[in-house]
Amino acid sequence: MQPKELLTLAEEFGSPLYVYDATTIEHQYNRLTAAFSKVENLRINYAMKALSNITILKLLKKCGSGLDTVSFQEVQLGLHAGFTPDKIIFTPNGVSFEEIEEVAKLGVQINIDNLSVLEHFGTKYPKVPVCIRINPHVMAGGNENISVGHIDSKFGISIYQIPHVLRIVENTKMHINGIHMHTGSDILDIEVFLYAAEILFDAAKQFKELDFLDFGSGFKVPYKKGDIETNIEELGKKLTKRFLAFEKEYGRTLTLAFEPGKFLVSEAGFFLAKVNVVKQTTSTVFAGIDSGFNHLIRPMFYGSQHMIENISNPKGKERFYTVVGYICETDTFANNRRVAEIKESDILCFKNAGAYCFSMASNYNSRFKPAEVLWKDGKGHLISKRETFEDLIKNQILVEV
Ligand SMILES: *Cc1c(COP(=O)(O)O)cnc(C)c1O
């Protein structure tokens, strides 16, 4: 999107504001499916926790996507957006058995990542097909907050516990119809991904009635200059070749599934905030915006470096700034960052604000969550309203004290 278009949206809808470009989402979806076009049955399940607005869900549904969900409420939102239960997979961790039952009753594919739950579920519902989530113990990337396949991770059934899984299957006569892995959000190296895939293939051989293999996600998108981006096209070529060979060996056509979040929506998102104050101190120049980690927590939570542009003065001379929020805590978006000269009231644009940004927003400091706009066909469409004071108090009960 052009700085001018974004600036117009900030004027029209106010700040802070989230803007999502529909074309980018469609483009990323098509890029992924094109990379795996030689696979007969490909299934993309959008990991909706990245960005769960129902218009975004509908847009991805129109592209042909299914949904990957992690809570009963996400399943409900998916159904509300028009997905049928057969297009949804439920991949929770640490939820109650009752929640899994509730979702299974809707006809949604269940993915189980714990032996005791598997045994309990198989005993009670031997006729309901189940996918198992394995942990291949492959470390993806270096950030342990987002690596979920390593040995200490709480996710998945250890690959070393497959003999126990087989025993449960035999004892309960349950039907395992899929095998799944999700190694984390930081696949820097395709070879590492392919290595984990081999472990999945090995495990898959031991189950005779599979319908699908789910390789999760972990596709990396660049946030700052010099960041590695997962080469989807190369991954597509290499994994397709290996998958087709496996199908032959297995003797049955299988569906190849993925569940990307970030890859589909991260680059489509722009976060716009207005500069309240420019403050020169002894050590730096602060640019303080009308937002904070209540609206965009990734820089503080993961150390993510979102690119920042001054769209009010895109051609201005660059200077060094520390961009901070208005929360009464340290909430630094960027340290010592080159940005085109900033004046008070300028609008700053944060890139890569589609995934895990609005969906992680809170009301800390009793601030309203921002509005969200979808940019489609050259127009901004409001897809969620800015909160109001009513939203802050709607669940509160005033007790006479
Ligand atoms: C969060 C999540 C994803 C999506 O990860 P991205 O890095 O956003 O692509 C996929 N699968 C599962 C099980 C997840 O929890």
Side-chain angles (χ1 to χ4, degrees):
M1 288 188 68
Q2 298 304 314
K4 263 209 182 103
E5 294 165 340
L6 289 165
L7 206 54
T8 316
L9 293 176
E11 273 157 25
E12 186 179 350
F13 297 98
S15 77
L17 183 72
Y18 275 102
V19 177
Y20 311 115
D21 178 21
T23 311
T24 304
I25 296 176
E26 289 160 346
H27 172 77
Q28 288 296 88
Y29 186 88
N30 294 335
R31 226 184 112 194
L32 190 53
T33 50
F36 289 90
S37 59
K38 296 221 167 65
V39 174
E40 197 178 314
N41 300 311
L42 180 71
R43 170 96 178 252
I44 308 296
N45 295 316
Y46 167 53
M48 66 175 282
K49 72 179 189 292
L51 176 63
S52 49
N53 184 285
I54 52 175
T55 304
I56 301 293
L57 301 186
K58 267 210 192 305
L59 180 72
L60 277 154
K61 178 173 177 286
K62 217 170 145 192
C63 291
S65 185
L67 278 190
D68 179 64
T69 58
V70 295
S71 68
F72 183 73
Q73 292 74 16
E74 282 196 350
V75 173
Q76 282 182 306
L77 275 172
L79 295 172
H80 181 72
F83 286 88
T84 49
D86 60 305
K87 292 282 186 195
I88 305 177
I89 179 163
F90 184 54
T91 307
N93 173 266
V95 304
S96 71
F97 189 77
E98 291 71 29
E99 185 168 344
I100 296 175
E101 277 181 308
E102 288 292 308
V103 174
K105 275 182 195 143
L106 295 171
V108 166
Q109 172 74 50
I110 303 297
N111 192 358
I112 290 180
D113 93 327
N114 182 317
L115 284 178
S116 68
V117 174
L118 188 73
E119 186 169 338
H120 190 177
F121 194 89
T123 306
K124 200 159 172 191
Y125 305 101
K127 294 217 155 59
V128 178
V130 162
C131 172
I132 52 167
R133 174 175 188 171
I134 61 160
N135 182 343
H137 302 305
V138 173
M139 182 83 176
N143 187 335
E144 56 180 66
N145 288 334
I146 49 182
S147 291
V148 293
H150 58 90
I151 198 96
D152 294 327
S153 168
K154 67 167 186 163
F155 297 97
I157 296 170
S158 166
I159 197 70
Y160 304 113
Q161 291 174 316
I162 293 288
H164 195 170
V165 173
L166 290 168
R167 176 157 294 170
I168 291 170
V169 171
E170 196 184 305
N171 288 345
T172 60
K173 305 278 177 276
M174 72 189 298
H175 172 193
I176 303 296
N177 68 340
I179 297 210
H180 166 280
M181 70 167 189
H182 172 63
T183 48
S185 280
D186 241 2
I187 300 273
L188 302 175
D189 185 344
I190 287 177
E191 297 308 321
V192 174
F193 194 96
L194 293 171
Y195 175 74
E198 285 307 321
I199 296 171
L200 190 93
F201 287 131
D202 248 6
K205 277 184 218 157
Q206 308 186 54
F207 299 87
K208 301 297 169 216
E209 300 181 295
L210 296 178
D211 298 320
F212 66 95
L213 299 184
D214 190 329
F215 292 88
S217 178
F219 305 141
K220 193 167 163 57
V221 296
Y223 277 73
K224 56 180 193 304
K225 275 203 186 85
D227 268 0
I228 297 168
E229 178 179 9
T230 305
N231 186 336
I232 292 293
E233 288 70 26
E234 189 190 339
L235 180 69
K237 255 189 219 135
K238 290 187 170 164
L239 186 60
T240 297
K241 191 164 162 234
R242 190 56 193 92
F243 181 77
L244 295 181
F246 179 78
E247 266 187 328
K248 249 198 204 129
E249 188 187 336
Y250 192 71
R252 165 171 186 177
T253 354
L254 293 163
T255 295
L256 170 59
F258 284 112
E259 46 192 38
K262 203 180 263 182
F263 181 80
L264 294 176
V265 298
S266 173
E267 291 160 304
F270 303 86
F271 181 54
L272 310 179
K274 187 184 274 184
V275 176
N276 281 337
V277 290
V278 176
K279 181 175 185 175
Q280 172 85 58
T281 67
T282 47
S283 60
T284 187
V285 183
F286 285 104
I289 60 172
D290 66 348
S291 179
F293 68 55
N294 51 325
H295 297 153
L296 177 61
I297 201 170
R298 292 179 41 82
M300 293 302 290
F301 196 31
Y302 299 115
S304 314
Q305 298 195 26
H306 292 256
M307 295 243 280
I308 302 173
E309 275 176 23
N310 181 359
I311 56 172
S312 298
N313 183 25
K315 300 229 162 72
K317 191 168 152 244
E318 286 187 342
R319 293 191 60 192
F320 288 97
Y321 293 95
T322 299
V323 180
V324 294
Y326 60 12
I327 291 296
C328 292
E329 305 229 15
T330 302
D331 62 343
T332 308
F333 291 107
N335 240 323
N336 217 18
R337 190 79 72 81
R338 263 177 202 277
V339 185
E341 182 150 23
I342 297 174
K343 295 186 308 307
E344 288 172 0
S345 298
D346 280 355
I347 300 288
L348 300 188
C349 173
F350 294 69
K351 302 281 190 72
N352 279 76
Y356 309 105
C357 292
F358 185 87
S359 65
M360 286 189 171
S362 77
N363 291 112
Y364 187 48
N365 277 206
S366 297
R367 296 288 184 181
F368 306 143
K369 284 191 207 156
E372 294 174 282
V373 164
L374 181 71
W375 178 256
K376 194 168 190 304
D377 305 322
K379 247 184 79 185
H381 307 265
L382 189 64
I383 59 172
S384 81
K385 291 189 275 190
R386 186 176 310 286
E387 285 184 324
T388 62
F389 186 68
E390 283 305 306
D391 294 308
L392 292 185
I393 55 168
K394 69 177 180 227
N395 292 326
Q396 299 197 32
I397 296 160
L398 187 59
V399 173
E400 291 308 327
V401 285

